[in-house]
Amino acid sequence: KQEVTQIPAALSVPEGENLVLNCSFTDSAIYNLQWFRQDPGKGLTSLLLIQSSQREQTSGRLNASLDKSSGRSTLYIAASQPGDSATYLCAVRAGANNLFFGTGTRLTVIP
Amino acid sequence: GAVVSQHPSWVICKSGTSVKIECRSLDFQATTMFWYRQFPKQSLMLMATSNEGSKATYEQGVEKDKFLINHASLTLSTLTVTSAHPEDSSFYICSAPAGGLTDTQYFGPGTRLTVL
């Protein structure tokens, strides 16, 4: 069964710093990997989707990489802002349309 | 991007009552929708897959008689929590893929259920 792990569980950084969030998965047979943002008590907002054949995707200050063979993905956030404070979830799609979610990283950007 | 809505956004009910949660895809059709639950400070756990025109498929450990799912149309799926108990209190989120296996999955804003 696919297991997705995110490290660290929580992270606090001062505003302006660049940071990296990590995601690992146990089964490399995936269709794609998606990074989401979740604000407290809210639903999920999709940030980036990386297909299994891709190595990275970029959107603004966000860059996500995928190394399928090693079962790892990273989300790089440049020049962090207080508005980036949220929980970040990664999820892999391993078939049948459903997603396996990681445990999340709770990010706090300190002004 | 595609939009998925949920109604209600929050509900408080007494133990023993039933609660219905709606999930709608607003600008696309979804033959499949997914229902997740999320306990505080935990990640999302898939409960069931809702299939338009056929029965839902439930994940192991999820009681199908307690969590009734009806995929009434290509844009609507409902989750009914029957005879709710305090341990059913959770955040319920639905999602729908905009396309096939390689497409983004879009999530509703979630429904906070509190059972007294």
Side-chain angles (χ1 to χ4, degrees):
Chain A
K1 181 183 176 183
Q2 181 73 264
E3 292 185 6
V4 183
T5 305
Q6 290 184 245
I7 296 173
L11 179 65
S12 290
V13 300
E15 182 178 2
E17 273 203 6
N18 303 325
L19 58 102
V20 175
L21 307 180
N22 298 290
C23 173
S24 61
F25 47 96
T26 56
D27 188 347
S28 61
I30 65 171
Y31 287 95
N32 56 46
L33 183 145
Q34 202 165 348
W35 281 93
F36 295 90
R37 168 189 174 134
Q38 185 177 31
D39 292 289
K42 304 293 184 181
L44 276 65
T45 300
S46 179
L47 298 174
L48 289 165
L49 172 71
I50 309 177
Q51 305 295 351
S52 62
S53 59
Q54 296 175 325
R55 299 283 290 182
E56 66 177 334
Q57 282 287 330
T58 299
S59 176
R61 294 183 294 108
L62 306 179
N63 176 278
S65 68
L66 174 64
D67 184 342
K68 198 173 74 165
S69 61
S70 66
R72 295 182 179 181
S73 176
T74 61
L75 178 66
Y76 174 83
I77 302 177
S80 59
Q81 302 171 357
D84 295 331
S85 298
T87 295
Y88 290 80
L89 296 164
C90 71
V92 298
R93 178 175 285 187
N97 265 337
N98 63 319
L99 298 177
F100 291 91
F101 279 86
T103 48
T105 294
R106 189 169 65 257
L107 173 66
T108 303
V109 180
I110 304 166
Chain B
V3 178
V4 175
S5 70
Q6 279 185 243
H7 178 80
S9 56
W10 60 270
V11 57
I12 302 173
C13 69
K14 293 182 179 180
S15 184
T17 60
S18 294
V19 175
K20 180 185 285 188
I21 303 171
E22 293 185 348
C23 177
R24 294 181 184 273
S25 57
L26 298 185
D27 51 1
F28 66 101
Q29 294 182 334
T31 57
T32 302
M33 291 183 177
F34 301 95
W35 287 96
Y36 297 83
R37 66 187 298 179
Q38 184 180 33
F39 291 107
K41 296 185 179 181
Q42 294 187 25
S43 193
L44 280 73
M45 295 297 294
L46 180 67
M47 297 176 64
T49 302
S50 174
N51 304 297
E52 192 270 336
S54 63
K55 292 182 179 180
T57 54
Y58 291 81
E59 296 300 301
Q60 191 173 10
V62 178
E63 299 176 57
K64 63 179 181 181
D65 294 329
K66 181 169 186 61
F67 298 99
L68 301 180
I69 291 174
N70 181 29
H71 202 129
S73 72
L74 289 172
T75 59
L76 173 64
S77 174
T78 60
L79 168 68
T80 300
V81 183
T82 61
S83 187
H85 291 284
E87 58 265 30
D88 298 323
S89 298
S90 187
F91 193 55
Y92 293 86
I93 306 178
C94 70
S95 74
L101 289 171
T102 58
D103 284 350
T104 300
Q105 195 158 150
Y106 294 94
F107 284 78
T111 297
R112 170 73 60 192
L113 171 63
T114 302
V115 185
L116 302 177

